[in-house]
Amino acid sequence: MANIIDGKKIAAETRAEIAAAVEEQKSRGITPGLAVVIVGENPASQVYVRDKHKACGEVGIYSEVIELPETTTEEELLSKVAALNNDDRIDGILVQLPLPRHINEEHILNAIRPDKDVDAFHPVNTGKIMIGNPDFLPCTPAGVMVMLEKSGIEIAGKHCVVVGRSNIVGKPMAMLLLAANGTVTVCHSKTRDLAEVTRSADILVVAIGRADFITGDMVKEGAVVIDVGMNRRADGKLTGDVDFASVSEKASYITPVPGGVGPMTITMLLRNTLTAAELHHKS
Ligand code: NDP
């Protein structure tokens, strides 16, 4: 039976470290600030935004939630982003996705000042990750790296297989594992014989958005398995992309859903806000 990587516990430890660092910044007259912008009334987004605001308060980060109506135009949102770009109280800006369909997400994300882009979705920041010189790391893959590190899992020289190639999770995850000297393979929906590739993984990270898709027969004995997936079952329960029951019989380490990668994502947003505040007070 695999060791469970407890995301809640690691997130709590990391948040305590962040709270101490915020305290230290405040002693130097710096209060890190985050603005979270939400457009419309998507219930899931409203929960995420509330959680982010609450998490900021718990570690001493100043935060503002800007709620805009569904009818907000792209121009109005761009002008809000421009105002936040110029607001000295705000070190980090996050625009909650998805946006209403009449707004082009790329236009908005590209308008955020790269040194305030705490989600690390701006092309400048993705480029910096690519060349191995990042200011911020995207929150979910960064959270996975912290979980591996805090669990004492060596990455160098290991075969790391990432299933999923989204800009938010899969691609940056592959870059971070590569930067840590893993030998990385990225799989996607067109990968031939996926099970053969996943069975060759020492570290398997799954981010596809398909409930319980990776089963025990697709995993090597002793592999480390990180389940990024968050899927709602018909009965309303949250489940990952990995079939926990069969995979935990073979893996050496595994993350549960819920209580695995999820709690780390907001924690990394807090860390990026702290980093942004430090950047802004350096110059
Ligand atoms: P996307 O839908 O953007 O990307 C899914 C990726 O999975 C694509 O690259 C797709 O391939 C690949 N894929 C889909 N089906 C298969 C398949 N059968 N075999 C192999 N690859 C497949 O999803 P995200 O990356 O945004 O999210 C992935 C999951 O992670 C979701 O469940 C999401 O809810 C969760 N998530 C969790 C977070 C957390 O904090 N824990 C944060 C962000 C996401 P192709 O490119 O070929 O289409």
Coordinates of all heavy atoms in Angstrom, one line a residue, residues 48 139-141 162-171 186-191 194 206-211 213-214 218 227-232 239-241 257 260-266, ligand 1:
Y48 N -13.8 29.5 -5.5 CA -12.3 29.7 -5.6 C -11.9 31.1 -5.2 O -10.9 31.2 -4.4 CB -11.8 29.5 -7.1 CG -12.0 28.1 -7.6 CD1 -12.4 27.8 -8.9 CD2 -11.8 26.9 -6.8 CE1 -12.6 26.5 -9.4 CE2 -12.0 25.7 -7.3 CZ -12.3 25.5 -8.6 OH -12.5 24.2 -9.1
C139 N 0.8 28.0 -10.4 CA 0.5 27.5 -9.0 C 0.4 26.0 -8.9 O 1.0 25.4 -8.0 CB -0.7 28.2 -8.5 SG -0.5 30.0 -8.5
T140 N -0.3 25.4 -9.8 CA -0.5 23.9 -9.6 C 0.8 23.1 -9.8 O 1.1 22.3 -8.9 CB -1.7 23.4 -10.6 OG1 -2.8 24.2 -10.2 CG2 -2.0 22.0 -10.4
P141 N 1.5 23.3 -10.9 CA 2.8 22.6 -11.0 C 3.8 22.9 -9.9 O 4.5 22.0 -9.4 CB 3.3 23.0 -12.4 CG 2.2 23.6 -13.1 CD 1.2 24.1 -12.1
V162 N 4.3 12.9 -17.7 CA 3.2 13.9 -17.5 C 2.1 13.5 -18.5 O 2.3 13.5 -19.7 CB 3.6 15.3 -17.7 CG1 2.5 16.3 -17.4 CG2 4.8 15.7 -16.8
V163 N 0.9 13.2 -18.0 CA -0.2 13.0 -18.9 C -1.1 14.2 -18.9 O -1.7 14.6 -17.8 CB -1.0 11.7 -18.5 CG1 -2.0 11.3 -19.6 CG2 -0.1 10.5 -18.2
G164 N -1.2 14.9 -20.1 CA -1.9 16.1 -20.2 C -0.9 17.2 -20.6 O 0.2 17.2 -20.1
R165 N -1.3 18.1 -21.5 CA -0.4 19.1 -22.0 C -1.0 20.5 -22.1 O -0.8 21.3 -23.0 CB 0.1 18.7 -23.4 CG -1.0 18.5 -24.4 CD -0.5 18.3 -25.8 NE -1.6 17.8 -26.7 CZ -1.5 17.5 -27.9 NH1 -0.3 17.7 -28.5 NH2 -2.5 17.0 -28.6
S166 N -1.9 20.8 -21.1 CA -2.5 22.1 -21.1 C -1.4 23.2 -20.7 O -0.4 22.8 -20.1 CB -3.6 22.2 -20.1 OG -3.1 22.1 -18.8
N167 N -1.7 24.4 -21.1 CA -0.8 25.5 -20.7 C -0.8 25.8 -19.2 O 0.2 26.3 -18.7 CB -1.2 26.8 -21.4 CG -1.0 26.7 -22.9 OD1 -0.1 26.0 -23.4 ND2 -1.8 27.4 -23.7
I168 N -1.9 25.4 -18.5 CA -2.0 25.7 -17.1 C -1.3 24.6 -16.3 O -0.7 24.9 -15.2 CB -3.5 25.8 -16.7 CG1 -4.1 27.0 -17.4 CG2 -3.7 25.8 -15.2 CD1 -5.5 27.2 -17.2
V169 N -1.4 23.3 -16.7 CA -0.8 22.3 -15.8 C 0.3 21.5 -16.6 O 1.5 21.5 -16.2 CB -1.9 21.3 -15.3 CG1 -1.3 20.3 -14.3 CG2 -3.1 22.0 -14.7
G170 N -0.1 20.7 -17.6 CA 0.8 19.7 -18.2 C 2.1 20.3 -18.7 O 3.2 19.8 -18.3
K171 N 2.0 21.3 -19.6 CA 3.3 21.9 -20.2 C 4.2 22.5 -19.1 O 5.4 22.1 -19.1 CB 3.0 22.9 -21.2 CG 2.6 22.3 -22.6 CD 2.5 23.4 -23.6 CE 1.5 23.1 -24.6 NZ 1.0 24.3 -25.4
V186 N 5.9 13.7 -22.2 CA 4.6 14.3 -22.1 C 3.6 13.5 -23.0 O 3.9 13.3 -24.2 CB 4.6 15.8 -22.5 CG1 3.2 16.4 -22.4 CG2 5.7 16.5 -21.8
C187 N 2.5 13.1 -22.4 CA 1.5 12.3 -23.1 C 0.2 13.2 -23.3 O 0.0 14.1 -22.5 CB 1.1 11.1 -22.4 SG 2.5 10.0 -22.1
H188 N -0.6 12.8 -24.3 CA -1.8 13.6 -24.5 C -2.8 12.7 -25.2 O -2.6 11.4 -25.3 CB -1.5 14.8 -25.4 CG -0.6 14.5 -26.5 ND1 -1.1 13.9 -27.7 CD2 0.7 14.7 -26.6 CE1 0.0 13.7 -28.5 NE2 1.1 14.2 -27.9
S189 N -3.9 13.2 -25.7 CA -5.0 12.4 -26.2 C -4.6 11.6 -27.5 O -5.3 10.6 -27.8 CB -6.2 13.2 -26.5 OG -6.0 14.1 -27.5
K190 N -3.5 12.0 -28.1 CA -3.1 11.3 -29.4 C -2.0 10.3 -29.1 O -1.5 9.7 -30.1 CB -2.7 12.3 -30.5 CG -3.7 13.4 -30.8 CD -4.9 12.9 -31.5 CE -5.8 14.0 -31.9 NZ -6.5 14.7 -30.9
T191 N -1.6 10.2 -27.9 CA -0.4 9.3 -27.5 C -0.9 7.9 -27.8 O -1.9 7.4 -27.4 CB -0.1 9.4 -26.0 OG1 0.4 10.8 -25.8 CG2 1.0 8.5 -25.6
L194 N -0.8 4.5 -24.5 CA -0.6 5.3 -23.3 C -0.1 4.5 -22.1 O 0.8 4.8 -21.4 CB -1.9 6.1 -22.9 CG -1.8 7.0 -21.7 CD1 -0.9 8.2 -21.9 CD2 -3.2 7.5 -21.3
V206 N -0.6 13.1 -13.5 CA -1.8 13.0 -14.3 C -2.7 14.2 -14.2 O -3.1 14.6 -13.1 CB -2.6 11.7 -14.0 CG1 -3.6 11.5 -15.1 CG2 -1.7 10.5 -13.9
A207 N -2.9 14.9 -15.4 CA -3.8 16.1 -15.4 C -4.6 16.1 -16.7 O -4.2 16.7 -17.7 CB -2.9 17.4 -15.3
I208 N -5.6 15.3 -16.7 CA -6.4 15.1 -18.0 C -7.9 15.5 -17.8 O -8.5 15.8 -18.7 CB -6.3 13.7 -18.6 CG1 -6.7 12.6 -17.6 CG2 -4.9 13.5 -19.1 CD1 -6.6 11.2 -18.2
G209 N -8.4 15.4 -16.6 CA -9.8 15.7 -16.4 C -10.7 14.6 -16.7 O -11.8 14.8 -17.3
R210 N -10.3 13.4 -16.5 CA -11.1 12.2 -16.7 C -11.1 11.3 -15.5 O -10.1 10.8 -15.1 CB -10.6 11.4 -17.9 CG -11.0 12.1 -19.2 CD -10.3 11.4 -20.3 NE -10.6 12.3 -21.4 CZ -11.4 12.1 -22.4 NH1 -12.1 10.9 -22.5 NH2 -11.6 12.9 -23.4
A211 N -12.3 11.2 -14.9 CA -12.4 10.5 -13.6 C -11.8 9.1 -13.6 O -12.2 8.3 -14.5 CB -13.9 10.4 -13.2
F213 N -9.3 7.6 -14.5 CA -8.8 7.1 -15.8 C -7.6 6.2 -15.7 O -7.4 5.2 -16.4 CB -8.5 8.3 -16.7 CG -8.1 7.9 -18.1 CD1 -9.1 7.7 -19.1 CD2 -6.8 7.9 -18.5 CE1 -8.8 7.4 -20.4 CE2 -6.4 7.6 -19.8 CZ -7.4 7.4 -20.8
I214 N -6.6 6.5 -14.9 CA -5.4 5.8 -14.8 C -5.6 4.6 -13.7 O -5.9 4.9 -12.6 CB -4.2 6.7 -14.3 CG1 -4.0 7.8 -15.3 CG2 -2.9 5.8 -14.0 CD1 -3.3 7.4 -16.6
M218 N -1.8 0.3 -15.3 CA -1.1 1.3 -16.1 C 0.1 1.9 -15.3 O 0.8 2.9 -15.8 CB -2.0 2.5 -16.5 CG -3.2 2.0 -17.4 SD -4.4 3.3 -17.6 CE -3.7 4.3 -18.9
D227 N -1.8 12.9 -8.7 CA -3.1 13.1 -9.3 C -3.6 14.5 -9.3 O -4.0 15.0 -8.2 CB -4.1 12.1 -8.6 CG -5.5 12.1 -9.3 OD1 -5.7 12.8 -10.3 OD2 -6.3 11.3 -8.9
V228 N -3.5 15.2 -10.4 CA -3.9 16.7 -10.4 C -5.4 16.8 -10.7 O -6.1 17.8 -10.3 CB -3.1 17.4 -11.5 CG1 -3.6 18.9 -11.5 CG2 -1.6 17.3 -11.2
G229 N -6.0 15.8 -11.2 CA -7.4 15.8 -11.7 C -8.4 16.2 -10.6 O -8.2 15.8 -9.4
M230 N -9.4 16.9 -11.0 CA -10.5 17.2 -10.1 C -11.8 17.1 -10.9 O -12.1 17.9 -11.7 CB -10.4 18.7 -9.5 CG -9.3 18.9 -8.5 SD -9.6 20.2 -7.4 CE -9.7 21.6 -8.6
N231 N -12.5 16.0 -10.6 CA -13.7 15.7 -11.4 C -14.9 15.5 -10.5 O -14.7 14.9 -9.4 CB -13.5 14.4 -12.2 CG -12.2 14.5 -13.0 OD1 -12.0 15.2 -13.9 ND2 -11.2 13.6 -12.6
R232 N -16.0 16.0 -10.9 CA -17.3 15.7 -10.1 C -17.9 14.5 -10.5 O -18.3 14.4 -11.7 CB -18.2 16.9 -10.3 CG -18.3 18.0 -9.4 CD -18.6 18.0 -8.0 NE -17.8 19.1 -7.3 CZ -17.4 19.1 -6.1 NH1 -17.6 18.1 -5.3 NH2 -16.7 20.1 -5.6
T239 N -13.5 13.5 -7.4 CA -12.6 12.4 -7.6 C -11.5 12.8 -8.6 O -11.7 13.8 -9.4 CB -13.3 11.1 -8.2 OG1 -12.4 10.1 -8.2 CG2 -13.9 11.3 -9.5
G240 N -10.4 12.1 -8.6 CA -9.2 12.5 -9.4 C -9.2 11.8 -10.8 O -10.2 11.2 -11.2
D241 N -8.1 11.9 -11.5 CA -7.9 11.2 -12.7 C -7.4 9.8 -12.5 O -7.2 9.0 -13.5 CB -6.9 12.0 -13.6 CG -7.5 13.3 -14.1 OD1 -8.7 13.5 -14.0 OD2 -6.7 14.2 -14.6
V257 N -7.4 12.5 -3.8 CA -8.3 13.6 -4.2 C -9.6 13.3 -3.5 O -10.2 12.3 -3.7 CB -8.6 13.6 -5.8 CG1 -9.6 14.7 -6.2 CG2 -7.3 13.8 -6.5
G260 N -5.1 16.4 -1.9 CA -3.8 16.2 -2.5 C -3.3 17.5 -3.0 O -2.9 18.4 -2.3
V261 N -3.2 17.5 -4.4 CA -2.7 18.7 -5.1 C -3.6 20.0 -4.8 O -3.0 21.1 -4.7 CB -2.6 18.4 -6.6 CG1 -2.1 19.7 -7.3 CG2 -1.6 17.2 -6.8
G262 N -4.9 19.8 -4.7 CA -5.8 20.9 -4.6 C -5.3 22.0 -3.6 O -5.2 23.1 -3.9
P263 N -5.1 21.6 -2.3 CA -4.8 22.6 -1.3 C -3.5 23.3 -1.6 O -3.2 24.4 -1.0 CB -4.6 21.7 0.0 CG -5.3 20.5 -0.3 CD -5.3 20.2 -1.7
M264 N -2.6 22.7 -2.4 CA -1.3 23.3 -2.7 C -1.4 24.5 -3.7 O -0.6 25.4 -3.7 CB -0.3 22.3 -3.3 CG 0.1 21.2 -2.4 SD 0.8 21.9 -0.9 CE 2.3 22.7 -1.5
T265 N -2.5 24.5 -4.5 CA -2.6 25.5 -5.6 C -2.7 26.9 -5.0 O -1.9 27.8 -5.4 CB -3.7 25.1 -6.6 OG1 -3.4 23.9 -7.2 CG2 -3.9 26.1 -7.7
I266 N -3.6 27.1 -4.1 CA -3.8 28.5 -3.5 C -2.5 28.8 -2.7 O -2.1 30.0 -2.7 CB -5.1 28.5 -2.6 CG1 -6.3 28.4 -3.5 CG2 -5.1 29.9 -1.9 CD1 -7.6 28.5 -2.8
Ligands
NDP1 P1 -7.4 20.6 -20.1 O1 -8.7 20.1 -20.5 O2 -6.9 21.9 -20.5 O3 -6.3 19.6 -20.7 C1 -6.4 18.2 -20.6 C2 -5.2 17.5 -21.2 O4 -5.4 16.1 -21.0 C3 -5.1 17.7 -22.7 O5 -3.7 17.9 -23.0 C4 -5.6 16.4 -23.4 O6 -4.9 16.1 -24.5 C5 -5.3 15.4 -22.3 N1 -6.1 14.3 -22.4 C6 -7.5 14.2 -22.4 N2 -7.9 13.0 -22.5 C7 -6.9 12.2 -22.5 C8 -6.7 10.8 -22.7 N3 -7.7 10.0 -22.8 N4 -5.4 10.3 -22.8 C9 -4.4 11.1 -22.7 N5 -4.5 12.5 -22.5 C10 -5.7 13.0 -22.5 O7 -7.3 20.3 -18.5 P2 -6.4 21.0 -17.4 O8 -4.9 20.8 -17.6 O9 -6.8 22.4 -17.2 O10 -6.9 20.2 -16.1 C11 -6.7 18.8 -16.0 C12 -7.3 18.3 -14.8 O11 -6.7 18.9 -13.6 C13 -8.8 18.7 -14.6 O12 -9.4 17.6 -13.9 C14 -8.8 19.9 -13.8 O13 -10.0 20.1 -13.0 C15 -7.6 19.6 -12.8 N6 -7.0 20.8 -12.3 C16 -6.7 20.7 -10.9 C17 -6.1 21.8 -10.3 C18 -5.8 21.7 -8.9 O14 -5.6 22.7 -8.2 N7 -5.8 20.5 -8.3 C19 -5.8 23.0 -11.0 C20 -6.0 22.9 -12.5 C21 -6.6 21.9 -13.0 P3 -5.0 17.0 -25.9 O15 -4.1 18.1 -25.7 O16 -4.5 16.0 -27.0 O17 -6.4 17.4 -26.1

